Amino acid sequence: MTTSWGVAMAGPSKSWLAMTVSLGLLALPGCVGASDGQAATEENGAAVVTIAPQPLRTTESAAPPRAESFADFIDGVRADALAAGVKPATLDAALAGVTHIDRVIELDRKQPEFSLSFSTYLDRIVTPARVAEGKRKLEENRDLLAAIERRYGVQPRFIVALWGIETGFGRNTGGMSVVSSLATLAYDGRRSAYFRTELMQALTILDQGHIAPSAMVGSWAGAMGQCQFMPSTFVKFAVDWDGDGRRDIWRNQGDALASAANYLSSEGWIGDQTWGRAVDVPEGLSAELTGVDKTRTLAEWSRLGIHAADGKPLPQRDIRASLIRAEQGKGQPFLVYDNFRTIMKWNRSTFFALAVGHLADRIGDR
């Protein structure tokens, strides 16, 4: 089925595997800002993790059938975009080849759940190869990262860790048309309002000339670029680092890394603190003290008998921390700081935030 300007009904050219993990393993804010805890992984195994503005869902019923055709739906999107000020030429280019991607709905419906221990997850994410590459990337981009740190106050090791986990340092940014993926999900009906908003934001990004329609690719859920921003997150946080008039998080490394730092900084990053640390707790310590929403100073935790996992005393700094375990009620305990909570705004997952911290520590050197 095709409209007068080329809307076609078709399946995808590339299949993707969606994965969510119990215990909040991988959640989406697009990487930053995706819809509901989905974590897309390319079928070659490269993680494409995004961030969600809505709570992680478990099960949802299928959407009721729509009365309008996909072509009519796209006609409505075009009319709304025109009314919002998007130029006709932009819409001609962006919507001419838009397709309903059946595979996107298939992945959205059938996200398998895997119950992995934190240690297994960490072994899969913080690999020796990723650590080694992270060290190389930090060295290769030392001047750029130092300049980004001066502007946004985010230490380079954390930017590189997020970059590595999200897209394999920019290699695995997704291969699906963002416009087609978002149009498919908006038409689906289950979360149409959210995805329609993201679609309109994507069309605005195209209208502003940041990327060509053919180059606006990403995950099946619509996360884009080397930092996997959803369109709404792009609009709010993406940065034109090199001043060329475009915020190109797909191909411009400076734009991508500065955008990640801007997100963290805007969400409360503290530049002279780390994320937290593994600790040992005394036997019999009340479980009531555990939880990311319960904070005490490091001095108070020390008085309760907690020390670093390597046996050293906790730092003598005026920092508030929360005692958590990666898996509810068991496993290695950690004291986590405000920066950990900021990472969890990027991705609402304890596993993910701990992995970012571990990888950043292993990369080291600022």
Side-chain angles (χ1 to χ4, degrees):
M1 179 187 304
T2 309
T3 68
S4 59
W5 31 279
V7 177
M9 300 288 284
S13 60
K14 185 173 185 180
S15 60
W16 291 71
L17 173 66
M19 182 171 89
T20 56
V21 182
S22 64
L23 303 172
L25 181 91
L26 293 172
L28 298 178
C31 72
V32 195
S35 67
D36 50 9
Q38 299 152 322
T41 61
E42 197 168 6
E43 289 186 339
N44 65 9
V48 182
V49 185
T50 51
I51 310 174
Q54 301 172 4
L56 189 71
R57 77 178 153 84
T58 52
T59 59
E60 287 183 350
S61 59
R66 296 185 71 108
E68 64 180 341
S69 68
F70 184 69
D72 289 340
F73 170 78
I74 295 300
D75 285 336
V77 168
R78 181 184 176 91
D80 288 350
L82 284 169
V86 178
K87 294 184 287 292
T90 298
L91 295 171
D92 289 344
L95 300 177
V98 69
T99 60
H100 183 280
I101 305 177
D102 296 339
R103 181 65 173 153
V104 166
I105 300 303
E106 195 178 319
L107 291 169
D108 187 49
R109 292 280 195 276
K110 299 178 180 178
Q111 298 179 57
E113 293 188 0
F114 301 95
S115 182
L116 298 180
S117 68
F118 174 65
S119 61
T120 300
Y121 170 71
L122 197 64
D123 287 344
R124 293 185 182 186
I125 300 299
V126 186
T127 64
R130 183 167 281 160
V131 171
E133 187 170 6
K135 289 177 179 289
R136 289 196 301 273
K137 293 297 184 182
L138 188 147
E139 186 59 37
E140 290 168 6
N141 296 281
R142 184 172 293 279
D143 290 345
L144 169 64
L145 290 163
I148 290 172
E149 182 182 18
R150 285 193 295 272
R151 182 175 299 182
Y152 296 107
V154 180
Q155 304 94 310
R157 68 183 185 275
F158 290 101
I159 300 171
V160 173
L162 280 164
W163 186 29
I165 292 174
E166 285 290 358
T167 61
F169 307 101
R171 285 191 304 273
N172 306 302
T173 58
M176 284 190 172
S177 162
V178 167
V179 171
S180 288
S181 293
L182 293 174
T184 299
L185 290 164
Y187 177 73
D188 179 48
R190 290 193 302 164
R191 290 152 295 152
S192 58
Y194 169 73
F195 282 111
R196 189 182 182 108
T197 298
E198 293 295 334
L199 176 57
M200 298 299 290
Q201 298 279 29
L203 294 172
T204 298
I205 293 165
L206 292 171
D207 198 48
Q208 293 171 349
H210 298 296
I211 192 75
S214 61
M216 184 184 259
V217 295
S219 76
W220 63 263
M224 315 179 299
Q226 297 188 40
C227 47
Q228 290 290 278
F229 279 2
M230 292 297 286
S232 59
T233 308
F234 177 103
V235 168
K236 189 173 182 180
F237 297 107
V239 168
D240 174 16
W241 177 257
D242 61 4
D244 67 354
R246 293 186 299 275
R247 292 180 282 170
D248 184 359
I249 63 172
W250 295 264
R251 299 165 300 192
N252 186 309
Q253 207 159 276
D255 287 3
L257 299 183
S259 296
N262 184 41
Y263 179 93
L264 294 172
S265 177
S266 299
E267 293 295 333
W269 192 265
I270 302 172
D272 66 347
Q273 292 184 17
T274 186
W275 64 275
R277 65 192 65 247
V279 295
D280 284 336
V281 300
E283 190 173 342
L285 187 73
S286 172
E288 303 253 331
L289 299 176
T290 302
V292 74
D293 58 337
K294 301 173 183 178
T295 67
R296 283 175 167 74
T297 65
L298 292 180
E300 289 172 324
W301 287 120
S302 291
R303 287 194 290 272
L304 288 170
I306 293 177
H307 55 78
D310 61 7
K312 295 179 181 179
L314 297 176
Q316 295 184 358
R317 292 192 61 187
D318 185 19
I319 295 175
R320 298 193 70 84
S322 299
L323 181 64
I324 69 165
R325 295 180 187 268
E327 300 169 73
Q328 293 179 1
K330 62 179 182 179
Q332 173 67 53
F334 299 89
L335 280 180
V336 297
Y337 308 158
D338 284 340
N339 285 345
F340 179 88
R341 280 177 273 274
T342 298
I343 297 170
M344 287 193 70
K345 294 177 183 177
W346 180 288
N347 186 312
R348 296 178 182 182
S349 161
T350 301
F351 278 26
F352 178 90
L354 288 170
V356 170
H358 278 74
L359 181 56
D361 286 350
R362 296 277 300 279
I363 291 170
D365 192 18
R366 293 293 304 147

